[in-house]
């Protein structure tokens, strides 16, 4: 599932209020669905390792201040793991919307519930960049995050979901193990993904549709 900003008052449809996010977590709990880490999903897709009967992966894009202030405390309260995807040039920048600071991000990164993924440096449409600029976006963001957080960054999230064969090649060359994608109208389950460098997601508004279908069965033979 893909989430964006968490705010007391929503500004755009992608936003949720803290109350609405809690309602999502209560739906997950009452449906007996188990949030898992991206590492655990990866192990399953690569080796067929067992998952809970009804697993779900929670992801939060763009490093908003609301992630630390509202989402992170709720995740800790419920014991739910999640992925936070960060574009490094906006860490600590509070023009318009707030964004997490490096200290807040470090606190989250050192929590076993949290996986930090790179979301590029400046959040551009990667498919429109030159090879040189594409490499800078995927390589430099990884180096910056690892240096500032003292944690390995193994995963990438495509800005706007935009990716193609060239972009995936750049991500693989930068030594990411997998990448989160998103595209309408082709929302699909993780084991229906083409490969590990284009892991499919659903937008948060689809939660009620997804929960009854969550299934921790055999991995797709296509997703390698």
């Amino acid at each position: 599932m893909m989430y964006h900003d968490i705010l007391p008052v929503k500004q755009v449809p992608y936003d949720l209020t803290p109350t609405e996010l809690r309602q999502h977590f209560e739906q997950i709990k009452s449906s007996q669905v188990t949030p898992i880490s991206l590492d655990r999903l990866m192990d399953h897709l690569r080796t067929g390792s067992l998952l809970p009967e009804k697993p779900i992966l929670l992801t939060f894009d763009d490093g908003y201040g609301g992630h630390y202030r509202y989402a992170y405390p709720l995740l800790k309260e419920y014991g739910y793991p999640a992925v936070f995807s960060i574009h490094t040039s906006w860490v600590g920048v509070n023009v318009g919307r707030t964004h997490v600071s490096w200290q807040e991000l470090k606190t989250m990164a050192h929590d076993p519930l949290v996986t930090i993924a790179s979301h590029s440096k400046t959040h551009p449409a990667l498919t429109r960049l030159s090879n040189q600029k594409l490499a800078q976006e995927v390589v430099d963001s990884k180096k910056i995050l690892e240096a500032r957080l003292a944690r390995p960054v193994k995963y990438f999230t495509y800005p706007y979901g935009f990716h193609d064969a060239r972009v995936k090649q750049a991500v693989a060359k930068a030594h990411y193990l997998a990448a989160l994608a998103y595209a309408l109208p082709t929302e699909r389950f993780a084991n229906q993904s083409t490969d590990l460098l284009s892991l499919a997601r659903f937008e948060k508004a689809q939660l009620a549709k997804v929960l009854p279908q969550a299934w921790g069965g055999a991995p797709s033979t296509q997703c390698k």
Side-chain angles (χ1 to χ4, degrees):
M1 301 304 302
M2 180 182 69
Y3 291 84
H4 283 85
D5 206 357
I6 311 299
L7 294 169
V9 179
K10 293 189 290 187
Q11 299 178 13
V12 297
Y14 273 133
D15 297 336
L16 277 187
T17 67
T19 298
E20 288 172 329
L21 183 61
R22 180 181 289 278
Q23 289 171 349
H24 277 221
F25 287 3
E26 283 295 322
Q27 290 178 53
I28 290 169
K29 182 179 179 181
S30 64
S31 299
Q32 297 183 313
V33 173
T34 303
I36 61 171
S37 68
L38 183 48
D39 281 344
R40 193 168 181 186
L41 174 62
M42 279 287 293
D43 286 344
H44 171 70
L45 293 174
R46 296 170 76 182
T47 71
S49 63
L50 292 178
L51 290 178
E53 182 177 350
K54 298 171 69 176
I56 194 169
L57 177 66
L58 305 173
T59 69
F60 293 81
D61 287 8
D62 298 333
Y64 292 113
H67 292 172
Y68 182 80
R69 184 170 182 181
Y70 302 113
Y72 179 51
L74 278 173
L75 290 167
K76 288 176 69 66
E77 178 182 336
Y78 282 80
Y80 289 171
V83 181
F84 291 87
S85 299
I86 307 298
H87 41 94
T88 54
S89 67
W90 281 88
V91 175
V93 176
N94 296 320
V95 177
R97 293 173 182 257
T98 63
H99 291 81
V100 291
S101 68
W102 282 113
Q103 184 56 53
E104 291 168 343
L105 195 56
K106 190 171 185 178
T107 297
M108 293 168 63
H110 285 250
D111 190 317
L113 289 175
V114 172
T115 299
I116 300 297
S118 169
H119 202 22
S120 77
K121 285 181 68 178
T122 64
H123 202 273
L126 298 177
T127 52
R128 301 172 186 169
L129 300 183
S130 67
N131 289 339
Q132 180 181 2
K133 290 184 178 180
L134 170 60
Q136 289 173 346
E137 288 286 341
V138 301
V139 172
D140 291 357
S141 57
K142 188 177 195 295
K143 289 180 178 178
I144 292 167
L145 287 169
E146 290 181 338
R148 296 296 297 259
L149 304 178
R151 285 288 187 271
V153 174
K154 300 181 290 185
Y155 305 114
F156 190 83
T157 301
Y158 300 112
Y160 312 106
F162 292 172
H163 64 286
D164 55 19
R166 183 177 67 100
V167 171
K168 290 198 294 184
Q169 183 180 31
V171 169
K173 189 175 180 180
H175 304 295
Y176 294 98
L177 299 181
L180 298 173
Y182 177 74
L184 288 171
T186 56
E187 292 177 304
R188 62 188 66 169
F189 291 94
N191 73 335
Q192 297 173 325
S193 305
T194 305
D195 52 54
L196 295 176
L197 291 172
S198 53
L199 293 178
R201 296 187 287 173
F202 290 89
E203 205 274 327
K204 60 171 174 46
Q206 300 297 317
L207 182 67
K209 171 186 174 182
V210 167
L211 288 178
Q213 302 179 65
W215 177 60
S220 167
T221 57
Q222 294 180 323
C223 192
K224 298 295 184 183

